[in-house]
Amino acid sequence: MSKEPVAVVGVGQTKHVAARRDVSIAGLVREAAQQALDDAELSWSDIDAVVIGKAPDFFEGVMMPELYLADALGAVGKPMLRVHTAGSVGGSTALVAANLVAARVHGTVLTLAFEKQSESNAMWGLSLPIPFQQPLLAGAGGFFAPHVRAYMRRSGAPDTVGSLVAYKDRRNALKNPYAHLHEHDITLEKVQASPMLWDPIRYSETCPSSDGACAMILTDRAGAARAPRPPAWMLGGAMRSEPTLFAGKDFVSPQAGKDCAADVYRQAGIADPRRDIDAVEMYVPFSWYEPMWLENLGFAAEGEGWKLTESGVTELDGDLPVNMSGGVLSTNPIGASGMIRFAEAALQVRGQAGEHQVDRARKVLGHAYGGGSQFFSMWLVGSESPDA
Amino acid sequence: MARDLPVRDIAVVAFGQTDHRRTSEELSEVEMLMPVLHDVLAQTGLKTTDIGFTCSGSSDYLAGRAFSFTLALDGVGAWPPISESHVEMDGAWALYEAWTKLLTGDADTALVYSYGKSSPGPLRDVLTRQLDPYYVAPLWPDSVALAALQAQALIDAGDTDEPALAAVAVRSRDVAATNSHAQLQGSVPQGEYVVRPLRTGDCPPIGDGAAAVILAAGERARELCERPAWIRGIDHRIEAHGLGVRDLTDSPSTRLAAEKAGAFERPVDTAELHAPFTSQEVVLRKALKLEGGVRVNPSGGALAANPVMAAGLIRIGEAAARIHRGESDRALAHATSGPCLQQNLVAVLEGDPR
């Protein structure tokens, strides 16, 4: 049996900021959704179903907020699904929506992810202690820092690599009008001089807390034919999960991430990701995760990822640009962060990425992960349809 | 060009559930879930590594902590890594996601599970956090009060009265006597008013529980189950959140989902309805045009056991199990979410002709 090809014909996102005090949660999601509809030149009545995602409900203090958001997202009378797979949720949400089209259950689907972190306190949203379980050690950085340290020891990477990533991503963000952090006076020295938060992770090597939403319109072959602007075609998509904590877990390069990437490459006919993929929007909430994921995703051999970063390969004008939009390091509405990666990948292959557009971006990977590096979701989008 | 229709037959081939209880404080969620997962795997002879896709439904707000579902994954045994997803919804919607995944052909089997422990917190208060956070939730209208509004609207419209509601309660708990998993069985006094016009007996028990289902496509389903419960159609629809803009005596989303699922094409012999309140069965019977010949909630329904986030999946499981046992040939299963039946899912299941 064959699947229906899935195309991205509309992308929308809010300007991401620390606190959107001018809009409610409903106002925030409506803004991104309307933008995606405008991009696709469609109206609310063209949408068959809505798939929405966000990270834990405790971040806004609303249980299952999709119930309240049904009206704002034009979902009344339609199917509405709510996905939650921790930090990978934005990517997973897009994949669940894509499956509705691929399975020919629906023709055109609105998918959206958001976080309005200013309505609550993410630190405490993540730190509810329960018996017999390790808390997240005061935020995600405390959890991930030892794994970064393990990577440095294993790979022999010099301790300057993390700051290079942060400096690059923050400069890329200056070219992206939707990015949260616009640090016009950023210098490498400033990154390196920023306070140490969780050794070896410095303040400027961490992501901000953002309010923001991202939306996409996914459609079938017929819908893509009607699209006013070039569609991005989904060439492969997959999710993989493994347990949070167990003796055999490799926190530096989790097997679930490797398997997920391998599945996507198989679907998309990618033999050599380093050669066949033009750019990557990667989930990098702490700068050192760029070299780590370069290895996990097969762009570099084990222990070699930092060399790509150090040699400038991942710069906007490099041979394999990573996080052209500024990435999670510059914009982090947690539940939406994964979808922003997927959406930015789509913008690149559509040639719609504006100032941070990469020349000849024909195949771009969108990547997200969540939990204690246990949930992975990825898609590869291309400028050519899979049956072209 | 008209879009191609789904071409794969997908069936429920196994169903398991816990005994639902008022509290399970001695068990973690994982411990509560594990026996159910083992049960459905044993029914089919499958191992975790044989499963093509796994999807679960649960809610952090019941557990009282963020990312609660990440621990449940440990119970599944996600090693080597598995293809897996989660909805922050009742497990019935996790089943819907798994069904679409099987339709794409990416997997031939799926494990679906859901669980909810209502015992750690005051459920009526917890559910108020589902409401519009700016205008409604700050007033803390609880789930029974909202259901009472709906019940009163039905009585005012002449659709039911208190004795009729009491009869729904009695029938549900009487038939639950044959359901060893049910929390409330047999004769239960109708009791005092909780919120007029609803009495204790009109309300569901508050309890903890888990459920799991295995889905399989085509020939795989026949290999795994003697009489698979084929999903002939499944659809879900949501309504406006604001109670002021809805006619609480009707459920247009249920009717539309049933229509899209093909429920009205031929009569069903069984209906498992997720109606936590007696008054909601009245609304659903009308929306689904259920006639006298249909066996409604032979399991006792949500009035006998209502583990939040699992109760909808249990309706699908109960309907499927009746088909497996040869007690039904065409059954309807319904799940709901949100205040006063805001969101509704309908599945139509059939056994092979005998």
Side-chain angles (χ1 to χ4, degrees):
Chain A
M1 61 176 294
S2 69
K3 287 191 277 185
E4 179 70 21
V6 181
V8 185
V9 295
V11 172
Q13 59 182 309
T14 58
K15 164 74 177 113
H16 307 284
V17 294
R20 277 294 299 269
R21 300 200 196 284
D22 60 321
V23 287
S24 62
I25 298 171
L28 186 79
V29 298
R30 178 88 176 185
E31 205 174 289
Q34 185 63 60
Q35 236 196 74
L37 286 170
D38 291 348
D39 184 16
E41 292 182 16
L42 294 176
S43 66
W44 293 97
S45 60
D46 296 313
I47 300 299
D48 299 322
V50 178
V51 184
I52 182 171
K54 62 173 259 57
D57 292 3
F58 284 100
F59 280 180
E60 288 83 10
V62 189
M63 179 184 186
M64 302 161 78
E66 70 280 4
L67 295 166
Y68 140 72
L69 292 172
D71 307 60
L73 289 173
V76 172
K78 295 175 186 174
M80 187 174 198
L81 273 171
R82 158 70 195 287
V83 180
H84 179 194
T85 65
S88 65
V89 65
S92 307
T93 304
L95 292 178
V96 173
N99 272 345
L100 292 175
V101 176
R104 301 189 176 94
V105 174
H106 295 297
T108 302
V109 178
L110 167 68
T111 186
L112 181 138
F114 76 95
E115 208 73 73
K116 200 163 190 297
Q117 291 191 230
S118 66
E119 305 242 344
S120 182
N121 185 318
M123 176 84 149
W124 296 113
L126 281 173
S127 304
L128 297 166
I130 62 161
F132 315 121
Q133 209 235 328
Q134 175 180 267
L136 272 174
L137 305 169
F143 182 86
F144 290 113
H147 310 312
V148 170
R149 185 58 78 186
Y151 172 71
M152 294 168 76
R153 182 162 303 145
R154 197 194 280 188
S155 68
D159 58 11
T160 50
V161 173
S163 51
L164 293 175
V165 175
Y167 178 51
K168 165 183 70 81
D169 285 3
R170 296 278 160 77
R171 275 181 294 133
N172 288 353
L174 293 172
K175 297 179 187 295
N176 175 5
Y178 298 104
H180 175 177
L181 296 185
H182 280 159
E183 297 180 338
H184 292 281
D185 54 352
I186 188 86
T187 64
L188 184 58
E189 292 68 34
K190 279 188 180 171
V191 174
Q192 288 166 340
S194 68
M196 190 64 84
L197 286 188
W198 304 275
D199 191 350
I201 300 172
R202 293 182 181 278
Y203 177 77
S204 289
E205 296 174 329
T206 67
C207 48
S209 276
S210 314
D211 283 1
C214 179
M216 287 189 284
I217 312 292
L218 306 182
T219 191
D220 55 14
R221 208 189 266 115
R226 292 190 295 266
R229 277 173 272 281
W233 293 95
M234 179 173 158
L235 305 178
M239 293 186 228
R240 284 294 184 283
S241 310
E242 66 181 43
T244 328
L245 301 165
F246 73 106
K249 177 147 178 149
D250 183 349
F251 279 98
V252 171
S253 190
Q255 189 63 39
K258 292 182 190 175
D259 291 359
C260 190
D263 192 359
V264 171
Y265 300 157
R266 180 189 56 77
Q267 293 171 39
I270 300 287
D272 177 357
R274 176 80 177 83
R275 192 191 65 214
D276 300 342
I277 294 175
D278 301 313
V280 188
E281 278 283 341
M282 189 189 277
Y283 203 103
V284 178
F286 302 101
S287 62
W288 277 93
Y289 271 86
E290 176 179 300
M292 290 165 72
W293 293 145
L294 280 170
E295 295 171 26
N296 189 247
L297 294 171
F299 292 103
E302 197 170 318
E304 305 285 317
W306 63 270
K307 294 177 184 169
L308 292 189
T309 298
E310 198 181 48
S311 63
V313 165
T314 61
E315 294 272 350
L316 190 55
D317 58 359
D319 177 40
L320 180 72
V322 174
N323 289 332
M324 300 71 75
S325 65
V328 181
L329 274 177
S330 307
T331 304
N332 190 33
I334 296 180
S337 291
M339 189 171 287
I340 297 171
R341 306 280 72 71
F342 278 45
E344 286 285 349
L347 285 177
Q348 288 286 342
V349 299
R350 297 172 73 208
Q352 306 276 317
E355 272 192 69
H356 61 285
Q357 177 72 46
V358 171
D359 285 345
R360 294 180 301 282
R362 301 218 168 84
K363 288 179 181 173
V364 178
L365 184 71
H367 161 270
Y369 85 107
S373 299
Q374 70 176 136
F375 301 111
F376 292 84
S377 60
M378 304 172 201
W379 82 4
L380 190 94
V381 284
S383 51
E384 302 281 326
S385 96
D387 48 13
Chain B
M1 187 186 78
R3 286 189 304 119
D4 304 320
L5 291 170
V7 291
R8 262 191 139 189
D9 286 330
I10 292 157
V12 176
V13 296
F15 167 58
Q17 61 182 317
T18 55
D19 293 340
H20 309 294
R21 290 183 289 156
R22 179 61 188 88
T23 177
S24 57
E25 61 187 14
E26 75 284 8
L27 297 175
S28 70
E29 288 169 337
V30 184
E31 289 168 319
M32 187 173 74
L33 183 62
M34 287 282 278
V36 180
L37 296 176
H38 286 300
D39 180 10
V40 290
L41 290 170
Q43 286 178 41
T44 54
L46 294 171
K47 299 185 194 61
T48 304
T49 48
D50 301 327
I51 299 287
F53 181 65
T54 300
C55 197
S56 62
S58 68
S59 167
D60 280 349
Y61 259 75
L62 293 179
R65 72 177 294 272
F67 302 130
S68 62
F69 63 93
T70 63
L71 299 177
L73 191 60
D74 293 352
V76 175
W79 188 261
I82 59 172
S83 173
E84 189 262 352
S85 183
H86 172 260
V87 294
E88 192 82 359
M89 306 177 84
D90 185 287
W93 280 266
L95 184 142
Y96 180 85
E97 184 184 327
W99 173 74
T100 62
K101 179 79 175 177
L102 296 197
L103 279 182
T104 67
D106 285 345
D108 294 328
T109 52
L111 169 65
V112 178
Y113 64 90
S114 65
Y115 56 90
K117 287 181 68 159
S118 300
S119 59
L123 183 66
R124 287 168 66 180
D125 291 343
V126 170
L127 289 175
T128 64
R129 303 300 90 190
Q130 281 189 338
L131 303 168
D132 176 324
Y134 306 104
Y135 297 109
V136 185
L139 304 172
W140 295 86
D142 76 26
S143 47
V144 179
L146 295 173
L149 267 178
Q150 188 170 29
Q152 190 60 52
L154 284 166
I155 292 171
D156 292 348
D159 286 359
T160 191
D161 54 28
E162 289 189 40
L165 296 181
V168 171
V170 168
R171 195 205 71 242
S172 298
R173 276 112 191 197
D174 277 353
V175 294
T178 62
N179 176 0
S180 62
H181 301 288
Q183 189 176 332
L184 289 185
Q185 297 171 309
S187 174
V188 174
Q190 194 60 358
E192 298 300 313
Y193 287 115
V194 186
V195 181
R196 262 179 203 272
L198 296 178
R199 295 172 181 271
T200 317
D202 294 306
C203 304
I206 293 174
D208 301 352
V213 156
I214 289 180
L215 299 181
E219 279 311 302
R220 199 79 183 94
R222 291 184 205 281
E223 290 163 23
L224 296 171
C225 180
E226 206 168 306
R227 191 166 194 252
W230 301 105
I231 300 173
R232 293 301 181 211
I234 180 167
D235 194 85
H236 59 99
R237 302 281 153 167
I238 196 165
E239 293 178 34
H241 185 63
L243 299 180
V245 297
R246 286 158 59 189
D247 174 2
L248 295 180
T249 68
D250 197 7
S251 184
S253 58
T254 300
R255 189 178 300 112
L256 182 57
E259 197 182 298
K260 297 285 181 186
F264 302 133
E265 287 166 15
R266 286 191 295 121
V268 296
D269 55 44
T270 304
E272 277 284 343
L273 307 181
H274 185 192
F277 297 92
T278 52
S279 42
Q280 294 179 340
E281 184 177 308
V282 176
V283 177
L284 293 170
R285 277 177 178 267
K286 187 169 77 172
L288 293 165
K289 302 174 195 163
L290 296 177
E291 308 291 339
V294 182
R295 281 208 72 179
V296 174
N297 287 341
S299 67
L303 286 164
N306 189 39
V308 178
M309 311 313 289
L313 181 62
I314 291 169
R315 303 282 72 76
I316 300 176
E318 289 281 5
R322 287 184 72 78
I323 289 171
H324 296 162
R325 293 192 299 263
E327 294 164 8
S328 166
D329 292 318
R330 180 171 158 91
L332 179 150
H334 160 268
T336 195
S337 176
C340 300
L341 304 172
Q342 188 194 345
Q343 190 176 21
N344 295 283
L345 177 147
V346 173
V348 177
L349 306 170
E350 280 183 357
D352 285 326
R354 288 180 286 190

